[in-house]
Structures are given as structure tokens and as C-alpha cells.
């Protein structure tokens, strides 16, 4: 399983880095940035949007993925990037993807892993 988990770590890091390196759009004096946060030791991976927009604080997760028990848990995808589809196109089985943003009682109906 270590080889599979290492493959998943590399894959997630590549996908999030690709997304984080896309050119940002700045409007006026807004100061919003996306931060790539990788904790490969504990298998937590995030991109956060942080800053100020129109005088208001901006702070929210764009992506949050974890690896638990050899499966990729998608905690958040607040984009049209379709990270679950990208994972599948790169060879990750639906049996190894948990749509954690769905309640546990709904997961059996998603076609993906339950936990």
C-alpha cells in the first residue's frame, strides 16, 4: 500500500501545484492570493484563498484533500476544476476516492468509496 499512497501523494501534489501556478486575476487594489499548503507527513493537502477584497477579509479553502487508509478523501472542491475527474483520468479508482463532503449516509449512492 505504501507504493500506492506515495503515488497518490505525488498525484495530489502535481494537481494542486498545477492549479496554484495558474495565473491569478487581480482587480483594483484587492490583495487576494492562493496558498498551496502541503503536509505530506500527515497527508493533508490544501489550497486556501486568503486576503482582502473590497475591504472585506477573504479566507476559504479552494481544495482540501486528505489521504486516509490508502484512499483519497476529497473534503472540499470549490471550483469547476473537477479534481475528482482529474484523479480518475490519472488512474485513481473510484474505490479509492471518498467524497467526504457528502454525509456518510449518502456516500453509498455516489458510486465512490464510502470510507
Amino acid at each position: 500500500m505504501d507504493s500506492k499512497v506515495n503515488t497518490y501523494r505525488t498525484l495530489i501534489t502535481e494537481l494542486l501545484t498545477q492549479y496554484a501556478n495558474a495565473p491569478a486575476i487581480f482587480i483594483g487594489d484587492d490583495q487576494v492570493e492562493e496558498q498551496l499548503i502541503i503536509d505530506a507527513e500527515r497527508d493533508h493537502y490544501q489550497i486556501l484563498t486568503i486576503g482582502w477584497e473590497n475591504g472585506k477579509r477573504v479566507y476559504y479553502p479552494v481544495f482540501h484533500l486528505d489521504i486516509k487508509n490508502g484512499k483519497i478523501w476529497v473534503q472540499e472542491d470549490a471550483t469547476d476544476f473537477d479534481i475528482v475527474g482529474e484523479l480518475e483520468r490519472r488512474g485513481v479508482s473510484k474505490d479509492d476516492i471518498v467524497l467526504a463532503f457528502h454525509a456518510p449516509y449518502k456516500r453509498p449512492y455516489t458510486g465512490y468509496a464510502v470510507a
Side-chain angles (χ1 to χ4, degrees):
M1 179 159 49
D2 285 341
S3 175
K4 182 174 79 170
V5 169
N6 285 332
T7 299
Y8 289 172
R9 286 178 181 134
T10 301
L11 179 58
I12 291 169
T13 299
E14 287 174 0
L15 285 172
L16 295 186
T17 300
Q18 175 188 347
Y19 187 88
N21 287 338
I25 297 173
F26 293 101
I27 301 172
D29 293 331
D30 292 340
Q31 298 176 347
V32 178
E33 66 176 304
E34 293 185 335
Q35 294 184 356
L36 174 61
I37 300 170
I38 296 174
D39 178 357
E41 184 177 323
R42 295 172 193 82
D43 285 323
H44 303 298
Y45 308 85
Q46 292 186 337
I47 292 180
L48 297 175
T49 296
I50 299 171
W52 292 88
E53 185 175 282
N54 297 325
K56 295 184 179 178
R57 178 75 172 151
V58 175
Y59 182 90
Y60 60 90
V62 177
F63 291 108
H64 179 168
L65 292 90
D66 298 321
I67 299 174
K68 297 179 185 179
N69 300 321
K71 296 181 181 180
I72 298 172
W73 289 60
V74 180
Q75 305 285 358
E76 180 69 31
D77 177 359
T79 73
D80 293 331
F81 184 69
D82 185 22
I83 198 146
V84 173
E86 281 299 318
L87 291 169
E88 287 183 62
R89 283 187 280 280
R90 295 179 186 219
V92 179
S93 165
K94 286 185 172 188
D95 293 337
D96 280 349
I97 299 172
V98 178
L99 303 181
F101 51 84
H102 284 301
Y105 72 89
K106 290 183 178 178
R107 291 183 198 154
Y109 307 106
T110 65
Y112 292 89
V114 174

